[in-house]
Each structure stands twice: as C-alpha cells, then as structure tokens.
C-alpha cells in the first residue's frame, strides 16, 4: 500500500526536522521544508496531511490555508504556533469555514505524543471534501408527510447533577426515521421545517409528546423533569403560555418540572413578542433555558431581557474543556455569570469522565452528554438508570 504523504512547513529548521522524524516513525512519506516559498513546489494533490507553522517570514500560515482552499485541496491540516492560542483558533475556524479538515491545533513546545495523536486523527474519507448530495436529502413535502405518518418521535437524554451524579431530568430530542433514507438529523429537518412553515406542527407534536411522557414517568413514580427545545419562530404565538399550562394540567404535571430551551436567531424579528411569551411562561412556573450559550445569537443581552432560569454552555466549549485554555476560560466565566444571575448551569457534550470531574471543580451544576447517556427511547430509560451508578 502506498504510504500516506505528509508535508511539513516550518521556518524553524530544528522544528521542521523534529516533526519530520516523528512522522517518519509513524510511517509517513515525509516532505519537509524550512522555506515557506518552497511550499508550492512540494505540495501536490497527493499530499494527505500538511503540518503548518502559522507564523513564518514572507508568507504566513493563513495565506497558505487560503491557497490550499483555492487549489481545492483534500489534504488535512495540523496547525502549530509558538505564539497566541487565539490566533491558532482563528486559523482553525478559517480553515474549517473553507472546508479543510483540521486534525489538531498544537501550541509549541510540542511533544512527540501530541503529534502522533494528531496523525492518528487522520481518516481519508473525512478529508475529502464530500458534501452529501442534496438530492439524497428528504424534501419539505416528505417532512409534511412524515408528520402525518408518525415518522417523528422523541428520544430522551439524561441530565445529572455533577455534585452527586443523581438524575435531574431529560432533554427531549426529536428524531425522524425516514422509511427509505433512514435516520435524518434534526440539524437538517428543523431548519427545513422552519423554512417551510412546518415548525408549528412539529412543535405541537414535540410539546404534546414530551409533556405526556413526563406524566407517564411521574405517575410511574419517577419524579423527574423534562426540557423541551423550542424554535424561536414559535415564540410569536401569544397563546402559547396558556396552551402549555393547559397541557401540563391535563397530564397532571407541574409547569415547574418543564423547562423550555431557546436560542435566539437572526430570524427573531419580533423581539417584543419573544420577550412577552417567554416572560409569561416563566411567570406560570416553567423553567427557561438559554441553549447553546456562547455561540450564534445566544448573547449576553438576552440574559438581561429574558428571565432565564438556566444556562446551557455550548458543546463546542465542553468538548475541548480539557485541552484548550480558551474554552476552559469561557466555560468558567459562563458558570460564574450564570450563578451571579441566579441561574443553574448545564454543560452539554460531556463525553468523558475527566471532563465531568473538571466541571465539578469549576462549580457546574448539571451535565449532559454521551458519557452519561445517549439520547434514547423512553423504553430504554430503566436500563440506563440501573447501569448509571451514582
Ligand atoms: P441542542 O438542543 O443543543 O441539543 C444537543 C445536541 O447535542 C443533540 O443533538 C444531542 O444529541 C447532542 N449531544 C448530546 N450529548 C452529546 C455529546 O456528548 N457529544 C456530541 N457530539 N453531541 C451530543 P441532536 O439530537 O441531533 O439535536 C440537534 C439540535 O436540533 C438540537 O440542539 C436542537 O437545537 C434541535 N432540536 C432537536 N429536537 C428538537 C425539537 O423537538 N424541537 C426543536 N425546535 N429543535 C429540536
Ligand atoms: Mg437543547
Ligand atoms: Mg445545545
């Protein structure tokens, strides 16, 4: 089998040699240069991985990233710098925006282990710029049918106390099982619903099923809570607080056991209605959670004008909590901020025990993520509970 090809560009000769040595030991065919100008002679469409120092005289790493994108490069990138971490992050964001797969961002000095780890992240299929054929994805018309044909259903992901690991509730997450195309992600079909006037129907289904499930749990002796995601487009219906209250009553559950998760989006045009509805939900006893905090439109201003009871730190920060100082700082500040404002904090995307432990040290209240439990159908909750020891 042909060896994978790795190209190192670093104006520090010693460093270029060091990376080249580690890569050769790891079984790569290595091309290496300490002259950035030579990059274009060495780079070819055969190059699998480019290891790049961001700060170089003459041409900098950002320019090389742009050139790679212009050449429609399929190579994956490892970015290195001896300087600021924030520049490394910006370079990573730029590369990803240009559809270049970034295997790692490494802060110098770099250990051989860190490099080997980064190499091991390489998977050929991920690096090719494959974009799923739009034709393969279901249409709005199929989504309309899916609602009528009961192809949508809810799964539930546990949230636990970080201090004592006890169960604190579940987030209801929507799934679509397409008869031919299999499982379709809500990341795809929620925006599709929002763009095609289907979000109200979907929301009606989600709210009803989630509240119903909570009623079933509570009558069965599981005294728990549920979090429901709500599209900002729904927050234009002034009757919503009354409707949800009636629904809760019908299923014998107290609104204080239901949390509504929202994010603001660019599409939130009527801010007055948005604040009106959320405030009345809160006054009726529902919990209000600001989802994906720290990204997109989940802003600080929102915290002042909406009476949130909970803040969810976005997955992107939690996933890198152990390895990235900036993500750790943002998480710490989010926790402090939430507590100052009297809100509880949930970390989402907890994928290992070390992250869970560190969140405990940082004072985070609740955790949610694959390490604790994946989103699962209601039938699987019992067996999850018996395997989750606290
Ligand atoms: P979200 O509300 O921020 O939900 C968290 C997402 O992170 C879920 O993806 C969940 O499966 C995923 N997740 C949980 N733990 C981990 C982890 O440890 N690692 C990783 N990598 N991911 C984790 P999902 O279910 O695909 O949902 C995506 C988004 O779709 C949700 O983001 C939410 O914005 C939206 N959504 C889902 N269900 C509904 C719904 O019923 N109504 C509305 N309006 N939006 C929904
Ligand atoms: Mg959510
Ligand atoms: Mg989220």
């Amino acid at each position: 089998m042909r060896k994978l090809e790795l190209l190192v560009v670093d104006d520090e000769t010693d460093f270029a040699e060091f990376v080249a040595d580690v890569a050769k030991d790891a079984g790569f065919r290595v091309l290496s240069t300490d002259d950035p100008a030579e990059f274009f002679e060495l780079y070819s469409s055969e190059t699998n991985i480019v290891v790049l120092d961001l700060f170089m005289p003459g041409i900098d790493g950002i320019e090389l990233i742009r050139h790679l994108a212009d050449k429609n490069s399929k190579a994956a990138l490892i970015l290195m710098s001896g300087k600021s971490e924030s520049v490394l992050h910006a370079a990573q964001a730029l590369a990803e925006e240009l559809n270049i797969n970034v295997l790692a961002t490494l802060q110098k000095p770099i250990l051989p282990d860190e490099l080997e780890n980064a190499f091991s992240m390489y998977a050929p299929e991920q690096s090719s710029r494959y974009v799923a054929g739009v034709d393969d994805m279901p249409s709005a018309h199929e989504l309309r049918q899916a609602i009528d044909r009961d192809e949508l259903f809810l799964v539930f992901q546990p949230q636990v106390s970080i201090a004592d690991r006890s169960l604190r509730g579940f987030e209801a997450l929507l799934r679509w099982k397409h008869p031919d195309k299999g499982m379709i992600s809500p990341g795809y079909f929620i925006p599709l619903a929002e763009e095609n006037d289907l979000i109200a129907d979907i929301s009606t289904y989600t709210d009803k099923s989630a509240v119903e499930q909570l009623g079933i749990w509570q009558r069965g002796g599981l005294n728990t809570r549920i979090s429901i995601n709500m599209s900002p487009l729904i927050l234009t219906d002034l009757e919503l607080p009354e409707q949800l209250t009636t629904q809760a009553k019908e299923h014998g559950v107290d609104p204080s056991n239901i949390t509504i998760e929202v994010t603001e989006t660019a599409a939130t045009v009527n801010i007055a209605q948005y604040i009106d509805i959320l405030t009345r939900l809160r006054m009726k006893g529902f919990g209000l959670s600001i989802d994906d905090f720290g990204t997109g439109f989940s802003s600080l201003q929102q915290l002042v004008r909406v009476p949130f009871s909970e803040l969810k730190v976005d997955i992107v920060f939690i996933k890198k909590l152990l390895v990235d100082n900036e993500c750790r700082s943002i998480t710490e500040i989010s926790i402090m901020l939430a507590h100052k404002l009297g809100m509880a904090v949930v970390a989402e995307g907890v994928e290992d025990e070390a992250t869970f432990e560190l969140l405990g040290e940082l004072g985070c209240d609740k955790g949610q993520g694959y390490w604790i439990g994946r989103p699962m159908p209601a039938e699987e909750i019992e067996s999850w509970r018996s395997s989750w020891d606290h």
Side-chain angles (χ1 to χ4, degrees), residues 171-173 227-230 261-262 291-292 312 348 368:
E171 177 173 6
L173 293 158
S227 295
I228 306 174
N229 291 284
M230 210 164 267
E261 293 191 6
V262 289
D291 204 351
D292 304 342
K312 290 186 92 167
E348 51 181 345
Q368 178 182 346

Side-chain angles (χ1 to χ4, degrees), residues 31-44:
L31 304 172
S32 163
T33 177
D34 55 12
D35 177 6
E38 246 181 42
F39 176 81
F40 296 102
E41 285 155 45
L42 297 178
Y43 173 80
S44 77

Side-chain angles (χ1 to χ4, degrees), residues 154-155 157 171-175 185-191 194 199 202-203 205-207 228-232 234 261 263 291-292 312 314-315 319 348-352 368-375:
L154 287 180
V155 286
Q157 187 175 32
E171 177 173 6
L173 293 158
L174 199 55
R175 295 289 177 265
S185 157
Y188 171 76
F189 71 80
I190 294 290
E194 288 176 338
I199 193 67
I202 287 195
S203 195
Y205 169 81
T206 306
D207 299 353
I228 306 174
N229 291 284
M230 210 164 267
S231 161
I234 291 305
E261 293 191 6
T263 54
D291 204 351
D292 304 342
K312 290 186 92 167
D314 193 76
I315 271 183
K319 275 178 107 168
E348 51 181 345
V350 180
E351 294 189 352
D352 52 65
Q368 178 182 346
Y370 293 168
W371 180 70
I372 300 155
R374 297 225 168 211

Side-chain angles (χ1 to χ4, degrees), residues 244-295:
L244 269 180
T245 308
T246 309
Q247 237 164 29
K249 252 195 208 124
E250 275 169 16
H251 292 281
V253 300
D254 196 276
S256 66
N257 290 322
I258 301 172
T259 295
I260 307 299
E261 293 191 6
V262 289
T263 54
E264 192 175 336
T265 72
T268 314
V269 275
N270 196 330
I271 300 289
Q273 271 177 358
Y274 178 86
I275 298 173
D276 177 321
I277 294 166
L278 289 178
T279 305
R280 277 192 300 122
L281 278 167
R282 187 80 192 100
M283 288 164 75
K284 288 180 183 299
F286 292 91
L288 283 187
S289 179
I290 180 164
D291 204 351
D292 304 342
F293 185 74
T295 65

